Amino acid sequence: MILVTGGLGMIGAHTARALLDLGQEVVVTSHRQTDPPPFLDSSLDGSAVDGKVVVERLDVTDREAFLALGDRYDISDIVHLAGSIPSGDPVAYFRHDTAALFNALDAARTWGVRRFAVASSIGVYIGQDESPWHEGMSLPTADLPHLIVAFKKAVEPVTTHSLAGSGVRPIVLRIGSTWGPLMDPESIFSPIPPYVSAVLRGETPAPLPADAGGDWCYAPDMGRAIALLVSADTLNHTTYNVSSGKPFVYGEAAGQLAVEPGGETSPHLDITRLTEETGFTPSFTFPEAVADYITWRTTNAR
């Protein structure tokens, strides 16, 4: 059984769904939300059911409660995606998410799992001028735009050093710019959900620059890529870029979004390593993702 922390969040839920599609049994944790999205069948009574995912309410900063999961489930792999949003006090944020990471690492070592996948970020490459960004690049010292990116950059050596010699294989997931179903509809990290929100409210959103864009990955594709890495028979590396692997611009979905000239295209992730070792290619083009997301927003309460 594979444990996905933060498994009812955007990336976690889509990862759990993809793991189920690959024939895996899955237990997901969530601190507050226990109502799964409609694409995730679930068993809320703590018993695994064929084709369903078990949902466990868990505060990932509670070490004893975290380790107790191993008494109830035979967990073979961990995908650690749980994380919080900074709320003004950087020390409190770092303390919370570091405690969660340490508990997940303790669990991995205690249970002797096969693989421990952990979320890093495309943001670790900030300051690197060459594009596209690939895993062999050095990570420059740079001012980082957000506390989350700073934490993710620290997660990488903490994880690999913590698991050294343990027999647990780390998988560092340098996750690209992800958006889609279950994302905060007013998110500051992607303009698409707020744009659709404005349209659904009957407002006229500001046009998006047609030639602006960069890296992107639609959430169902992101979940499938992570699931393929966790489930692969063999892996040749520790660190993997996870995204669509090609740049996009908003003008590609001009028929669905109001666009105007202007803007700057950002760097994107090279996913050659991911594709060669898992066969992953994205299922959604950008226009297809926009159409799917609009349908989701108009037919789902979440």
Side-chain angles (χ1 to χ4, degrees):
M1 179 170 272
I2 297 176
L3 171 66
V4 181
T5 68
L8 295 186
M10 176 181 65
I11 296 176
H14 288 285
T15 299
R17 176 70 264 174
L19 286 167
L20 292 176
D21 292 341
L22 291 173
Q24 302 287 352
E25 293 183 323
V26 184
V27 56
V28 305
T29 73
S30 179
H31 190 189
R32 298 179 180 87
Q33 176 74 34
T34 56
D35 181 22
F39 59 80
L40 264 187
D41 291 331
S42 66
S43 168
L44 300 181
D45 62 0
S47 59
V49 178
D50 290 344
K52 296 186 178 182
V53 60
V54 180
V55 179
E56 283 276 352
R57 187 188 295 271
L58 176 72
D59 177 356
V60 287
T61 67
D62 184 333
R63 184 176 183 273
E64 290 187 5
F66 202 128
L67 292 176
L69 291 176
D71 298 329
R72 299 194 294 277
Y73 306 102
D74 183 14
I75 296 173
S76 61
D77 305 86
I78 297 174
V79 184
H80 183 52
L81 301 175
S84 62
I85 302 296
S87 59
D89 182 349
V91 174
Y93 164 70
F94 289 135
R95 180 181 293 114
H96 179 280
D97 280 30
T98 301
L101 174 63
F102 287 164
N103 289 343
L105 288 166
D106 269 347
R109 293 169 62 97
T110 300
W111 302 337
V113 302
R114 184 181 64 136
R115 289 175 178 161
F116 180 89
V118 65
S120 181
S121 168
I122 185 175
V124 302
Y125 291 108
I126 290 173
Q128 176 58 257
D129 294 331
E130 182 184 344
S131 181
W133 289 333
H134 61 82
E135 298 93 338
M137 289 177 166
S138 60
L139 302 183
T141 300
D143 290 333
L144 300 174
H146 200 280
L147 292 178
I148 293 177
V149 176
F151 177 73
K152 297 302 186 187
K153 197 168 184 177
V155 160
E156 297 194 8
V158 169
T159 296
T160 54
H161 283 279
S162 294
L163 297 179
S166 68
V168 179
R169 179 70 178 267
I171 306 175
V172 173
L173 306 166
R174 289 182 177 165
I175 293 174
S177 304
T178 309
W179 67 280
L182 301 183
M183 191 175 204
D184 177 356
E186 303 301 333
S187 174
I188 64 172
F189 298 110
S190 171
I192 303 301
Y195 183 100
V196 173
S197 294
V199 171
L200 294 178
R201 290 193 299 266
E203 301 171 2
T204 301
L208 298 169
D211 55 352
D215 187 271
W216 75 279
C217 192
Y218 195 48
D221 276 335
M222 176 59 66
R224 187 164 57 87
I226 294 173
L228 286 171
L229 280 169
V230 175
S231 302
D233 290 336
T234 58
L235 293 175
N236 299 320
H237 299 88
T238 295
T239 303
Y240 293 85
N241 287 342
V242 191
S243 196
S244 69
K246 56 185 179 182
F248 85 103
V249 294
Y250 296 118
E252 293 178 28
Q256 301 147 294
L257 307 173
V259 295
E260 61 182 7
E264 181 178 351
T265 300
S266 301
H268 67 284
L269 293 177
D270 179 292
I271 63 165
T272 299
R273 182 179 290 183
L274 167 69
T275 299
E276 288 181 347
E277 296 189 30
T278 69
F280 170 80
T281 56
S283 298
F284 291 85
T285 64
F286 182 58
E288 289 170 343
V290 172
D292 185 79
Y293 181 67
I294 291 172
T295 299
W296 165 267
R297 287 290 301 275
T298 57
T299 57
N300 289 273
R302 287 188 66 189

